[in-house]
Amino acid sequence: MTMAESKTTTEEAQGSTTSGESNQSCEATDGERDLAQAAHAEFMKSNYNAAMTLLNQLLNTRPKDPKVLMNKAVVEYYKSDLKNTSVFRKQLVDICVQSGFKIDEVGSADEVDRSVIHLNNCIVLYHLHQYRAALSLLEKMYTGLESLEESVGIGVCLLMAECYLGVYQPEKVLPVIAHTETTFLPQPLPHTPSPKQPPPQEKENKSPEKTGVSTGSGSNGNSSSSSSSSSSSSSSAAADEIRCSATQEQLRGKLQQLRVRAMLMMRSLRVAKKELKTIVTHAVSAGKSLNVTLVSLKSQLEYLRGNFRKAIKVLNQCAAIPAPSLTYGPSLGVMYYNNLGVIHLGLGKPTVACLYLQKALQETQTLGDTESSETSGDWLSTRSIYQLSSNVQSELYYNLGVTLLHMNKPDKAFDFLLEVLQVHSTNPRLWLRLAECCIAVHKLCLKDDISIRKSVVQGTVGVGIHRKICIATCIDSHNKKKDLESASDAAFPEPTLEFGRLCLRNALVLLPENASTTPLTDEQEASGVMPELYPAGPSSPLRGTEVVSLRVSALACSAYVCLCLSDHSAALRHAETLLVAHPKIPGVYKLLGHLYAGEALICLGRVSEAVTHFDPRQIGDLSLSSSSQDVNQSPPLLLPNDSVDGKEWEYASTSYHVGHVHSTANGSCRCYEEYCQEEYIAYLKVLFI
């Protein structure tokens, strides 16, 4: 949903309250109804001063009417350019207290009259990124959808779908869309008027809810003039029919866009491509130009299909689209530079990607500096609600952190990813990335410390083919460095192995058990069967194969970290768990598991058991992916630096490739898995929401 559509959603829910006075208050006099309808008409024309004057007159006769108080709060909020969010929320709470119910509780009694207040509260929560709080109310309202006013019901469905996308649960969006189509859209859609002859009220009726309200108010207002000429009545009915048809078509377009966004988040590319083609074809046949949302969705589809250069070509079409107003949305440059950076990371150009992501971050900082110079005080009172909704700093930090990890700058990547952790603390991918930063920093320190490398070899014995190398049993300087790390607080966020071990523990705890790795067939995907997904914001939801690959990667890293910290029993436990984590893990992880297990057994004095792990026949093929016969073949979308074919294991959130090999204290080899190349965030998730 673009910013214009989000603005429409707020207007439609809040504007509907203005007409509620005339429609629902049976005790109102004819003069009060006229005042209410006049206030509603002025509000729809954005004449907020005139609407406020009329509402004040209405308050003189109905001082405690919650509907009038609600309408006054809405008009005052719009009069402040939607900046006094804290004041508006306080007014909502006061109205609820005066009416005898709580704003954060949805009951069954008299819910029709209170539904608009709850919906407006949910809209504010949505723009403040409090999606789960909004969903707790919307889901209760959704159960009684048939009893709600049509405009409110549509607003509940659209907002509920947006909130599910906000919490990265796209599988729950599709049933909401289907129910909305069945309930509020006729089958088939009425004939749409030609774009050459737009309806006269097209500018005012920007949303289904507004149209429904205007029509309802118009019917009440026309009841006293029912004796008009037949020609006027027929023309009015024709105009209403045209408005209704245009409104239903617009609602259908919104639902189609939501369905495409959900399908892309679920990576059901075939269904998403078919649906998006329908939207684009309809827009072109109607003579409409593509907006930013459709261009972004097309570019995202090409990116997920692995057509990176075509994705750039499609994305560049945004340059021909006028930039949205800064008052009602994020800078178009933020979305453009972020998406370009993600695409170039997919092309295997992390340096170029970092440049574009830094530009996107500069765009947000420039916008923030402009706002702070113009206004001062509480950000809930100085920024428009749409600017609050467009805050994507955590997503940019996540992208930049992963990019810096690809550029072998783990210390800087750690700082950015740590900022994201404050918002998305339940993402196992994020915890694994932080652990990889700690491992990479440790590895760079070992490379820089020449004395450690020199102390590995104590000497040689013999000559020629009988020459033997004597490896030190321990390295004092390495142990001293390790003791310093162990003495530090593991909970303190620093790129150390102790903190890395804590991150890996959290990642393993957050990963679900017994995730299904069976891929969907083409027939199942086309019939609407949804895969099992696990939220992992701000990146895309995890599939079952990705959960397994993440667990395997976390176990390998845990075994390595425990060996470095001389926790050999824990290292052996992680290595053995790694070897039985999945029957078809790539051979390189089998190598890592046997090496780590063998080294841990040697350190524990169980040499005879360690010998079996060093048998080359235990390893087999050192492939970077699983067998292609048993996995769903997917394009190599997420592994720009790998040269192997992109099968399902590589399409998962972690790649399986051998990292650098370095000598250790006891003479064996540890293969350290470099930072895993993953999805680089839910790219192009349409930042205009």
Side-chain angles (χ1 to χ4, degrees), residues 391-459:
N391 183 10
V392 292
Q393 192 173 49
S394 61
E395 285 86 347
L396 294 178
Y397 279 175
Y398 186 87
N399 284 353
L400 197 54
V402 175
T403 303
L404 290 170
L405 204 49
H406 279 273
M407 296 173 63
N408 201 24
K409 296 182 179 180
D411 50 345
K412 295 182 179 179
F414 181 85
D415 295 335
F416 282 104
L417 294 176
L418 197 62
E419 292 292 330
V420 184
L421 191 63
Q422 301 178 17
V423 183
H424 302 281
S425 58
T426 59
N427 182 0
R429 273 182 181 147
L430 181 56
W431 287 106
L432 180 59
R433 300 297 162 255
L434 286 169
E436 289 166 350
C437 290
C438 298
I439 294 174
V441 170
H442 172 75
K443 180 173 172 290
L444 292 176
C445 293
L446 292 181
K447 282 185 177 181
D448 296 336
D449 198 339
I450 302 177
S451 61
I452 294 180
R453 288 188 290 175
K454 288 184 177 180
S455 59
V456 171
V457 180
Q458 285 188 335

Side-chain angles (χ1 to χ4, degrees), residues 10 34 56 58 75 83 100-101 329 366 528 569 584 595 611 660:
T10 309
D34 293 339
N56 287 331
L58 196 57
V75 174
K83 291 183 178 180
F101 64 95
T366 302
S569 297
K584 296 181 181 180
L595 286 177
V611 172
H660 298 283

Side-chain angles (χ1 to χ4, degrees), residues 103-223:
I103 194 171
D104 55 350
E105 294 182 0
V106 176
S108 57
D110 200 21
E111 187 53 40
V112 177
D113 293 338
R114 304 173 183 176
S115 59
V116 179
I117 298 179
H118 287 305
L119 180 57
N120 283 342
N121 180 44
C122 292
I123 291 173
V124 175
L125 293 174
Y126 164 79
H127 284 292
L128 296 180
H129 293 191
Q130 299 179 20
Y131 304 122
R132 298 192 183 279
L135 281 172
S136 64
L137 300 176
L138 290 171
E139 288 175 347
K140 296 178 182 178
M141 298 175 66
Y142 184 75
T143 57
L145 192 64
E146 289 75 11
S147 62
L148 299 180
E149 193 175 314
E150 180 180 354
S151 59
V152 178
I154 294 177
V156 168
C157 294
L158 294 179
L159 189 59
M160 193 174 178
E162 287 286 350
C163 288
Y164 278 133
L165 292 176
V167 296
Y168 306 98
Q169 295 180 353
E171 70 279 3
K172 295 185 178 180
V173 176
L174 301 180
V176 175
I177 294 175
H179 185 64
T180 306
E181 290 177 333
T182 305
T183 307
F184 300 107
L185 285 179
Q187 301 292 338
L189 190 68
H191 174 69
T192 304
S194 173
K196 298 181 181 179
Q197 299 177 352
Q201 285 81 7
E202 183 179 2
K203 182 177 181 180
E204 293 182 5
N205 298 326
K206 295 181 180 179
S207 65
E209 291 82 349
K210 276 192 170 183
T211 303
V213 170
S214 300
T215 304
S217 300
S219 61
N220 291 337
N222 293 334
S223 60

Side-chain angles (χ1 to χ4, degrees), residues 516-522 524 531 543 545 630-633 648:
S516 175
T517 59
T518 304
L520 296 179
T521 63
D522 295 343
Q524 289 176 328
R543 289 196 177 192
T545 52
D630 301 318
V631 297
N632 181 28
Q633 298 191 12
E648 180 66 24

Side-chain angles (χ1 to χ4, degrees), residues 227-302:
S227 59
S228 302
S229 62
S230 59
S231 59
S232 300
S233 301
S234 60
S235 61
S236 176
D240 290 343
E241 183 179 355
I242 293 176
R243 283 199 303 269
C244 180
S245 176
T247 298
Q248 292 169 349
E249 182 183 0
Q250 187 179 16
L251 175 59
R252 189 182 295 275
K254 288 182 181 180
L255 295 176
Q256 287 176 328
Q257 290 184 13
L258 288 171
R259 184 181 288 109
V260 172
R261 290 171 57 191
M263 289 296 180
L264 290 178
M265 191 176 290
M266 296 167 59
R267 276 162 287 177
S268 300
L269 303 184
R270 293 183 179 88
V271 181
K273 179 182 178 182
K274 182 179 179 181
E275 191 75 23
L276 186 58
K277 184 178 180 181
T278 303
I279 301 175
V280 174
T281 303
H282 185 271
V284 173
S285 61
K288 301 177 182 178
S289 59
L290 301 183
N291 54 27
V292 175
T293 302
L294 291 180
V295 172
S296 299
L297 291 175
K298 285 183 62 179
S299 181
Q300 183 180 8
L301 177 62
E302 297 301 332

Side-chain angles (χ1 to χ4, degrees), residues 626-637:
S626 60
S627 176
S628 60
Q629 285 84 3
D630 301 318
V631 297
N632 181 28
Q633 298 191 12
S634 302
L637 308 179

Side-chain angles (χ1 to χ4, degrees), residues 314-489:
V314 174
L315 187 61
N316 286 333
Q317 297 178 11
C318 292
I321 300 176
S325 172
L326 295 180
T327 305
Y328 297 117
S331 169
L332 183 60
V334 175
M335 183 273 293
Y336 178 74
Y337 287 129
N338 171 75
N339 296 341
L340 273 182
V342 174
I343 294 175
H344 281 88
L345 194 56
L347 288 170
K349 301 177 180 179
T351 304
V352 181
C354 185
L355 176 64
Y356 282 120
L357 291 172
Q358 287 176 343
K359 286 185 177 181
L361 197 58
Q362 290 173 1
E363 288 281 339
T364 59
Q365 293 172 350
T366 302
L367 181 60
D369 294 340
T370 303
E371 294 169 354
S372 61
S373 62
E374 293 177 353
T375 58
S376 60
D378 184 14
W379 54 278
L380 279 177
S381 301
T382 57
R383 295 188 181 184
S384 168
I385 192 172
Y386 300 116
Q387 292 171 342
L388 300 177
S389 177
S390 63
N391 183 10
V392 292
Q393 192 173 49
S394 61
E395 285 86 347
L396 294 178
Y397 279 175
Y398 186 87
N399 284 353
L400 197 54
V402 175
T403 303
L404 290 170
L405 204 49
H406 279 273
M407 296 173 63
N408 201 24
K409 296 182 179 180
D411 50 345
K412 295 182 179 179
F414 181 85
D415 295 335
F416 282 104
L417 294 176
L418 197 62
E419 292 292 330
V420 184
L421 191 63
Q422 301 178 17
V423 183
H424 302 281
S425 58
T426 59
N427 182 0
R429 273 182 181 147
L430 181 56
W431 287 106
L432 180 59
R433 300 297 162 255
L434 286 169
E436 289 166 350
C437 290
C438 298
I439 294 174
V441 170
H442 172 75
K443 180 173 172 290
L444 292 176
C445 293
L446 292 181
K447 282 185 177 181
D448 296 336
D449 198 339
I450 302 177
S451 61
I452 294 180
R453 288 188 290 175
K454 288 184 177 180
S455 59
V456 171
V457 180
Q458 285 188 335
T460 60
V461 177
V463 294
I465 61 175
H466 301 289
R467 183 171 178 265
K468 307 295 183 182
I469 299 177
C470 298
I471 305 296
T473 57
C474 64
I475 303 175
D476 294 336
S477 58
H478 180 68
N479 290 336
K480 291 179 181 178
K481 175 180 174 60
K482 187 168 53 183
D483 292 339
L484 291 175
E485 290 184 351
S486 300
S488 62
D489 187 3

